[in-house]
Amino acid sequence: MRVYVPLTLPGLAEAHKAGQLGPAPLDAYAVTPALREWYVSDDIEELEYAALSRAAQASLRRIAADPAAPRRRVVVAVDVPEGAAVADPDRALDESALGEVRLAAAVPLAKAAAVHVDADDAEADVAAAAAALGAADHGDEDARFTVDGAEDHELMWFGVQELPNLL
């Protein structure tokens, strides 16, 4: 099962140094039944892209909580055994939790399939989105528009072997 773990660049550096994503429990995103129902598609690539997008939104929240973190979203795609990622059934209908899963154990970074990171040219929009997140959460439409601006940037794909150069 492919899961998408949201991080920041400092979090990615820590994972690289430790050789694992953790400590557990670890929040991630995946193609869950609720995400399938919400997205209304049977195309697995589209569904995985939706899960990746949800993880990118969670990365933005981590960036907003860490003023020292570079303003670039980071998501690590990891393959885990079926059943290793568990969705909270109580939050299945909560739109903010769509695709959210929890991993009970740390995951070796060697299990990562890819790392997705914003390009340098996304930093200004990601910084603005991180600053506007609180207001957007409280219903400010202009702030929501600013937050959505970060989503206009596609995350770049990197192989795990490229991590040392990326960091």
Side-chain angles (χ1 to χ4, degrees):
M1 169 181 220
R2 172 90 23 115
V3 298
Y4 300 90
V5 180
L7 295 173
T8 60
L9 279 172
L12 182 61
E14 287 175 25
H16 183 256
K17 184 178 175 183
Q20 69 178 10
L21 297 166
L26 200 57
D27 292 329
Y29 292 81
V31 178
T32 62
L35 183 73
R36 280 181 189 276
E37 187 175 319
W38 172 75
Y39 199 75
V40 192
S41 174
D42 288 329
D43 184 330
I44 191 64
E45 288 183 17
E46 287 181 13
L47 291 165
E48 286 186 354
Y49 183 78
L52 171 65
S53 297
R54 300 290 295 161
Q57 292 168 358
S59 176
L60 179 64
R61 291 193 175 280
R62 289 175 183 240
I63 290 167
D66 182 358
R71 291 352 215 182
R72 293 171 67 193
R73 298 167 299 164
V74 177
V75 176
V76 179
V78 182
D79 292 319
V80 298
E82 286 295 327
V86 180
D88 182 346
D90 293 334
R91 295 192 66 199
L93 299 178
D94 180 355
E95 191 169 317
S96 70
L98 288 172
E100 190 175 272
V101 295
R102 179 153 292 164
L103 300 168
V107 178
L109 202 51
K111 298 273 186 190
V115 179
H116 303 272
V117 181
D118 274 313
D120 292 340
D121 68 351
E123 285 189 26
D125 287 338
V126 172
L133 204 50
D137 287 346
H138 287 96
D140 183 318
E141 288 301 318
D142 290 335
R144 182 79 240 155
F145 181 78
T146 301
V147 170
D148 289 345
E151 294 176 17
D152 290 341
H153 294 275
E154 293 289 327
L155 297 177
M156 297 185 307
W157 182 96
F158 294 91
V160 179
Q161 69 276 11
E162 297 178 272
L163 274 179
N165 294 334
L166 178 62
L167 297 171

